């Protein structure tokens, strides 16, 4: 790393995997509008590398090319986390950053927080305090540890603050700012690609859109649903039954697609009412979700996006770290309860289902709030250090 090309004091903004990009895009723009703040530098760890999980979303969201890409790629959790740490440490030495911003709960989030905190650099964690209370999820471990390491914790819902308090984190480190994911959604909603266009471009028949029940959108990628052959077979069986209630459009993560093939389940998905697409771009997903009768998912972000869009969401998990989407939004936790999922889908088709309301501060201005807070916090911290 050439020191001369790295202005000292930069804010290092870390992304690693798909759900990070929707959060970082509005924040990066907002940081640039604060003249008091040092320049942000975008660091991609390379955890996700497929063009459909990466370049496509960068373009949709107007994210600039990363200033640095560590190119770590896939691996076991230990290998991936370690590779990110090895790659990130020299950046801290080269940039001497004033702060490192991490978002969400992926392996890259924890790895960079750990490196920065041990080098004495302040970590700001966006989307702090969410808890599923399920340590079998790798993301839960990433969340708990990142929050312990962070100097600043920006939260999306009030329950997060109670979780942090319980874990001994001082109130003054926590700021309730709203939801960056929803900043992106509100900004790009008008540019969403119509579902008919997405289907015909993928070579799928847009006939499903003419069905009187409308259609459902499916995404599944959690290890608990897709890595175990029995669990994945159950999911596929559920989708088969659901497709008799309404046609389904499934946008599959590469790991889900690979596991369906390797567990010999592909033929069970073959149906005219079950359209399987590769991972979709951000604007395609927005168009599909906005037009859907319901969404079936195990994603964290989609639980929030459907709540903001007012589209009923059935989440195929036993718990959620985003309780506000259930309490106030359109989300219902259904696990892999086959009979209940079919019954709820029938109910949604018949009645329109749960409409919910948009949670507090999910108003498109979270990035602005974080940038304004940092613009006051960083100089105050620097002044204290020199006192
Ligand atoms: C990661 C996050 C998860 C997030 C998800 C969004 C962790 C622990 N998990 O899960 O929280 O919801 O991203 O998509 O950080 N793969 C590809 N192409 C890629 C990247 C991955 O084919 O560009 C395949 C590889 O087989 C890889 C597997 O997906 O081994 C898992 O990738 P990984 O980044 O470890 O986790 P995700 O399942 O994508």
């Amino acid at each position: 790393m050439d020191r001369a090309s790295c202005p000292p004091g930069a804010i290092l903004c870390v992304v690693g995997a798909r759900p990070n990009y929707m959060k970082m895009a509005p924040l990066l723009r907002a940081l640039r509008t604060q003249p008091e703040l040092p320049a942000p530098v975008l660091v991609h760890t390379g955890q996700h590398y497929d063009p459909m999980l990466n370049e496509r979303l960068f373009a949709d969201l107007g994210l600039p090319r990363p200033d640095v890409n560590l190119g770590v790629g896939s691996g076991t959790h230990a290998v991936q986390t370690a590779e990110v740490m090895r790659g990130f440490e020299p950046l801290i030495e080269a940039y001497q950053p004033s702060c490192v911003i991490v978002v969400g709960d992926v392996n890259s989030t924890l790895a960079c927080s750990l490196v920065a905190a041990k080098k004495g650099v302040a970590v700001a964690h966006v989307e702090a305090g969410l808890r599923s209370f399920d340590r079998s999820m790798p993301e839960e471990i990433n969340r708990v540890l990142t929050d312990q390491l962070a100097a600043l914790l920006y939260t999306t819902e009030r329950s997060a603050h109670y979780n942090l308090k319980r874990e001994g984190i001082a109130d003054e480190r926590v700021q309730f700012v709203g939801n960056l994911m929803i900043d992106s959604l509100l900004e790009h909603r008008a540019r969403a690609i119509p579902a008919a266009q997405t289907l015909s471009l993928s070579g799928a028949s847009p006939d499903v859109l003419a069905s009187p029940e409308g259609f459902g959108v499916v995404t599944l990628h959690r290890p608990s649903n897709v890595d175990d052959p029995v669990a994945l077979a159950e999911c596929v069986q559920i989708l088969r039954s659901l497709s008799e209630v309404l046609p389904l459009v499934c946008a599959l993560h590469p790991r889900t697609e690979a596991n369906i093939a390797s567990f010999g389940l592909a033929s069970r998905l073959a149906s005219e009412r079950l359209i399987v697409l590769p991972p979709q771009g951000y604007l395609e997903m927005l168009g599909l979700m906005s037009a859907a009768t319901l969404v079936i998912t195990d994603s964290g972000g989609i639980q929030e996006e459907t709540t903001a869009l007012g589209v009923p969401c059935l989440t195929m998990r036993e718990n959620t770290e985003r309780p506000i989407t259930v309490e106030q939004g359109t989300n219902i936790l259904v696990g892999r309860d086959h009979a209940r999922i079919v019954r709820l889908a029938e109910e949604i088709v018949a009645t329109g289902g749960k409409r919910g309301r948009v949670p507090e501060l999910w108003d498109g201005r979270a990035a602005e709030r974080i940038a304004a807070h940092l613009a006051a916090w960083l100089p105050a911290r620097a002044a204290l250090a020199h006192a």
Side-chain angles (χ1 to χ4, degrees):
M1 185 63 52
D2 169 18
R3 255 171 201 271
S5 64
C6 307
I11 299 179
L12 297 189
C13 299
V14 176
V15 293
R18 178 169 61 175
N20 296 162
Y21 313 149
M22 302 74 150
K23 296 163 200 164
M24 197 53 88
L27 183 54
L28 209 55
R29 271 194 293 278
L31 294 174
R32 292 208 163 111
T33 63
Q34 289 283 348
E36 306 82 16
L37 284 176
V41 169
L42 183 61
V43 179
H44 194 322
T45 64
Q47 177 174 342
H48 279 180
Y49 43 85
D50 266 352
M52 284 305 288
L53 297 182
N54 253 315
E55 285 84 347
R56 183 64 177 283
L57 276 93
F58 267 64
D60 289 349
L61 292 159
L63 262 172
R65 235 180 118 78
D67 298 287
V68 184
N69 192 325
L70 302 177
V72 299
S74 300
T76 63
H77 285 270
V79 167
Q80 191 174 59
T81 307
E83 286 304 315
V84 175
M85 291 178 70
R86 281 162 61 121
F88 193 61
E89 191 172 52
L91 292 187
I92 298 276
E93 277 151 22
Y95 283 95
Q96 302 286 313
S98 52
C99 145
V100 170
I101 302 182
V102 295
V103 295
D105 53 18
V106 303
N107 286 344
S108 302
T109 308
L110 173 60
C112 294
S113 302
L114 196 46
V115 171
K118 285 201 166 180
K119 289 271 187 194
V121 175
V123 173
H125 183 206
V126 177
E127 204 184 86
L130 296 181
R131 297 290 181 267
S132 65
F133 303 102
D134 174 1
R135 295 266 175 124
S136 71
M137 286 180 77
E139 293 83 358
E140 181 74 355
I141 295 172
N142 293 342
R143 289 180 202 115
V144 170
L145 297 180
T146 301
D147 285 340
Q148 284 298 327
L149 297 166
L152 282 178
L153 300 100
Y154 293 116
T155 59
T156 53
E157 57 176 275
R158 290 196 185 272
S159 70
H161 194 156
Y162 303 127
N163 294 335
L164 294 170
K165 223 178 170 52
R166 229 182 354 254
E167 290 170 19
I169 289 169
D171 286 343
E172 57 270 21
R173 286 162 59 195
V174 183
Q175 295 290 321
F176 175 38
V177 290
N179 195 327
L180 286 178
M181 190 85 148
I182 307 307
D183 285 17
S184 274
L185 182 139
L186 296 177
E187 183 185 341
H188 296 289
R189 197 176 173 181
R191 294 172 52 231
I193 294 176
Q197 192 176 325
T198 300
L199 290 180
S200 43
L201 275 180
S202 312
S205 159
D207 287 356
V208 294
L209 302 179
S211 148
E213 309 86 40
F215 66 99
V217 171
V218 181
T219 80
L220 288 176
H221 74 281
R222 291 271 156 232
S224 57
N225 280 327
V226 308
D227 282 0
D228 172 57
V230 176
L232 188 54
E234 269 176 52
C235 291
V236 166
Q237 205 48 49
I238 289 169
L239 296 183
R240 259 323 269 252
S241 302
L242 264 182
S243 71
E244 286 161 25
V245 180
L246 79 173
L248 299 179
V249 178
C250 313
L252 292 188
H253 186 288
R255 74 186 290 149
T256 311
E257 208 175 359
N259 288 348
I260 285 174
S262 69
F263 302 156
L265 296 167
S267 62
R268 293 200 220 164
L269 274 180
S271 152
E272 273 183 2
R273 285 168 67 86
L274 232 159
I275 295 174
V276 178
L277 304 178
Q280 292 297 300
Y282 182 68
L283 299 175
E284 283 85 351
M285 275 311 286
L286 268 189
L288 285 169
M289 289 193 295
S290 308
T293 304
L294 63 92
V295 172
I296 299 115
T297 193
D298 56 11
S299 149
I302 290 178
Q303 296 173 56
E304 296 182 340
E305 288 168 337
T306 46
T307 276
L309 291 168
V311 174
C313 179
L314 301 180
T315 296
M316 289 183 67
R317 286 176 44 189
E318 302 296 335
N319 50 53
T320 180
E321 62 288 337
R322 295 162 161 89
I324 206 161
T325 61
V326 174
E327 287 153 16
Q328 296 183 15
T330 57
N331 192 17
I332 303 177
L333 296 178
V334 294
R336 289 193 300 275
D337 185 338
H338 192 140
R340 181 158 180 251
I341 293 172
V342 171
R343 186 172 52 71
L344 284 169
E346 285 168 347
E347 202 174 296
I348 292 166
V349 166
T351 66
K354 197 175 169 191
R355 287 286 153 203
R357 66 185 152 96
V358 178
E360 186 184 3
L361 297 193
W362 290 21
D363 57 0
R365 299 182 57 194
E368 199 183 298
R369 289 187 194 101
I370 294 172
H373 181 263
L374 267 180
W377 188 86
L378 276 179
R381 183 170 190 263
L384 217 65
H386 291 115

